[in-house]
């Protein structure tokens, strides 16, 4: 078993892709070199990433769109490491939409059946767009992840449940 740990690290992203800023107060990555025998996907799938104080900024309109005629990529990567994120913030811009999640906690990993599950909470989720009323609320979500969809098993905003079941992505129910 290997491990890499870093305290207070800021990364300057390249000119392409959606990540415009990334910093973490603590980042710990655990892995097994033997998992490489299963290929890159098996290696990533067997990793555990823990982050505290992660600050990420994404611009989903940044970067080059896929050339015409190319196959669409999966919504999520095929291999996702186990994740534990605490005390973090994520800012997302997409055209005129601005949204920010503060006080983020995320736990993602395999369930007993081998599927990927995630629990996401944010102390405050805020958004603004010229065509929407600006707002803010607390957020918790229970999710199932596949390469083509995110199934929502529970979505609570503020003090009330908004959805018990739903799906975002390319796959059917």
């Amino acid at each position: 078993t290997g491990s890499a740990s870093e305290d207070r690290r800021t990364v300057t992203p390249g000119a392409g892709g959606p990540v415009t800023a990334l910093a973490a107060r603590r980042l710990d990555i655990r892995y097994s070199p033997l998992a490489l025998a299963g290929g890159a996907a098996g290696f990533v799938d067997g990793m555990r990433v823990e982050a505290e104080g992660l600050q990420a900024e994404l611009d989903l309109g940044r970067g080059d769109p896929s050339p015409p005629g190319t196959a669409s990529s999966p919504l999520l990567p095929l291999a996702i490491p186990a994740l534990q994120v605490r005390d973090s913030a994520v800012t997302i811009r997409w055209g005129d939409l601005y949204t920010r999640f503060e006080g983020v906690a995320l736990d993602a990993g395999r369930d007993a059946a081998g599927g990927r599950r995630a629990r996401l909470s944010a102390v405050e989720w805020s958004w603004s767009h010229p065509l929407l009323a600006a707002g803010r609320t607390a957020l918790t979500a229970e999710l199932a992840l596949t390469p083509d969809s995110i199934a929502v098993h529970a979505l609570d905003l503020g003090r009330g449940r908004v959805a018990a079941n739903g799906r975002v992505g390319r796959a059917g129910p």
Side-chain angles (χ1 to χ4, degrees), residues 125 137-140 152-165:
W125 171 33
T137 187
L139 163 79
T140 59
V152 179
H153 293 291
L155 176 62
D156 296 319
L157 300 178
R159 296 184 185 188
R161 174 145 300 179
V162 174
N165 287 297

Side-chain angles (χ1 to χ4, degrees), residues 30-159:
R30 296 179 187 180
Y31 56 91
S32 169
L34 296 175
L36 277 172
F43 179 70
V44 171
D45 197 49
M47 293 174 94
R48 178 168 181 78
V49 178
E50 297 177 5
E52 185 178 333
L54 182 70
Q55 302 290 316
E57 294 182 16
L58 307 169
D59 184 345
L60 299 181
R62 183 177 150 192
D64 298 328
S66 298
T70 59
S72 62
S73 62
L75 182 65
L76 296 170
L78 296 174
I80 302 171
L83 299 170
Q84 183 182 49
V85 177
R86 296 288 181 267
D87 189 28
S88 297
V90 177
T91 301
I92 301 172
R93 296 178 192 279
W94 192 12
D96 291 335
L97 175 66
Y98 172 87
T99 187
R100 181 164 172 85
F101 300 87
E102 295 184 50
V104 171
L106 170 69
D107 290 291
R110 289 212 177 275
D111 61 16
R116 284 282 178 200
R117 297 286 180 162
R119 176 170 171 68
L120 171 68
S121 65
V123 172
E124 182 176 280
W125 171 33
S126 60
W127 61 88
S128 65
H129 187 279
L131 300 177
L132 301 172
R136 63 186 53 199
T137 187
L139 163 79
T140 59
E142 298 284 339
L143 311 167
L145 311 174
T146 70
D148 292 321
S149 70
I150 300 171
V152 179
H153 293 291
L155 176 62
D156 296 319
L157 300 178
R159 296 184 185 188

